[in-house]
Amino acid sequence: DTAVSQTPKYLVTQMGNDKSIKCEQNLGHDTMYWYKQDSKKFLKIMFSYNNKELIINETVPNRFSPKSPDKAHLNLHINSLELGDSAVYFCASSLGTSGNNEQFFGPGTRLTVL
Amino acid sequence: DQQVKQNSPSLSVQEGRISILNCDYTNSMFDYFLWYKKYPAEGPTFLISISSIKDKNEDGRFTVFLNKSAKHLSLHIVPSQPGDSAVYFCAARGFTSGTYKYIFGTGTRLKVLA
C-alpha cells in the first residue's frame, strides 16, 4: 500500500520537449514537496505546497511549474526540457509545515534529457 | 554554498561493529536535524531526528549525537547489520521567508560487510 507514489519511474526524452511527473500521497498529509537530486547527489527543495497553496518556491527556472489539483496530488510540469534538467526528482509529503514532521518520500523519477 | 556537509561519501564496516556517520553544518540557526536512509531505486525514509535543545537521541540501534558548539552531528549504528547498507542523508531545518525548509547533505554510502 504505497504512501507516496510517483509516475513515471523513468522518463527519457529529447531536449525541447514538455513533460509532466505526477505525485500522489494517500497519507492525508497537508504538505507536499518536490526535490531534485542532481548528478552531485545534492537533494534540493524546489517547491512546497500546503493545502494546495504554494509556500516554498526556490530559485527554479520558470519552465518548471507545479500544480496541485487537491491536497493529495502535486504534479510537476517541465517545459522546453534542457540537458541540465536530467536528475532524479523526488516528491514528498508531511503532516504539516511546522518542520517537526518527517517527510515521506516517493520512489523518485529519473529524468534523462537527450 | 553547501550548508550541510557529509564529507565522507562512503564507509565500510564489519557486521556487528559500530557505524559512525558524520554531518557538519554551517548555519547556527538550524534547530532541528534528521537522518534519512535511502535504498537504491527508493526514496529516502526517515530514521531518527534530534532537536537542537538536546545532545542525544536514541532509538534502538540508532543514536544521534549533536554537538552544537562544533556544528556537528553524528549517527551511530550499533551493532551494524547487512540490512543497514544504504545511503544516509542528514538534513537540517532552517526558517526562512516565513516557512521551514530542510537542507540536505549529499549522503554517505554505508556498506556493512557480512
Side-chain angles (χ1 to χ4, degrees):
Chain A
D1 193 15
T2 307
V4 182
S5 59
Q6 296 178 227
T7 52
K9 201 167 170 74
Y10 299 96
L11 185 53
V12 181
T13 188
Q14 299 285 336
M15 264 194 333
N17 284 350
D18 303 338
K19 290 293 177 188
S20 292
I21 308 172
K22 295 187 176 181
C23 178
E24 176 180 0
Q25 54 94 4
N26 62 7
L27 298 166
H29 287 167
D30 291 328
T31 309
M32 295 184 73
Y33 311 82
W34 275 109
Y35 285 86
K36 176 181 179 181
Q37 186 180 31
D38 61 22
S39 57
K40 294 181 180 176
K41 305 302 179 188
F42 291 120
L43 190 63
K44 288 185 180 173
I45 182 77
M46 298 173 69
F47 301 103
S48 174
Y49 271 72
N50 184 55
N51 282 320
K52 301 196 298 173
E53 282 191 40
L54 182 67
I55 55 169
I56 294 176
N57 185 355
E58 288 297 283
T59 310
V60 175
N62 56 16
R63 298 182 294 104
F64 290 77
S65 52
K67 284 189 173 48
S68 182
D70 55 57
K71 268 182 15 172
H73 296 85
L74 180 62
N75 303 323
L76 183 65
H77 189 76
I78 316 171
N79 288 328
S80 303
L81 278 155
E82 299 178 357
L83 294 175
D85 297 332
S86 296
V88 181
Y89 293 84
F90 288 99
C91 175
S93 72
S94 67
L95 197 54
T97 59
S98 69
N100 282 354
N101 306 300
E102 75 258 26
Q103 294 173 11
F104 291 76
F105 284 81
T109 295
R110 182 174 292 278
L111 171 65
T112 304
V113 182
L114 304 174
Chain B
D1 179 27
Q2 187 65 4
Q3 297 186 66
V4 178
K5 296 178 186 177
Q6 293 177 256
N7 292 318
S8 298
S10 63
L11 175 68
S12 291
V13 171
Q14 284 291 102
E15 182 179 6
R17 306 295 286 267
I18 184 170
S19 295
I20 301 176
L21 297 104
N22 294 306
C23 180
D24 296 294
Y25 60 96
T26 57
N27 189 340
S28 58
M29 298 304 290
F30 288 151
D31 63 354
Y32 193 69
F33 304 87
L34 302 90
W35 284 93
Y36 284 83
K37 176 178 175 179
K38 184 184 178 306
Y39 292 119
E42 294 183 13
T45 54
F46 170 74
L47 194 56
I48 193 169
S49 62
I50 189 166
S51 164
S52 61
I53 61 174
K54 295 187 174 182
D55 54 20
K56 178 182 173 181
N57 188 25
E58 195 171 349
D59 183 3
R61 296 185 298 113
F62 301 91
T63 304
V64 56
F65 293 93
L66 176 62
N67 183 335
K68 279 184 67 178
S69 59
K71 297 195 188 72
H72 176 84
L73 66 155
S74 60
L75 174 68
H76 292 210
I77 307 173
V78 55
S80 302
Q81 298 172 355
D84 296 329
S85 297
V87 177
Y88 290 79
F89 290 95
C90 69
R93 182 182 82 170
F95 189 79
T96 57
S97 304
T99 191
Y100 288 105
K101 199 186 304 180
Y102 283 98
I103 310 295
F104 283 79
T106 49
T108 295
R109 183 178 300 279
L110 173 65
K111 192 179 229 182
V112 179
L113 308 167

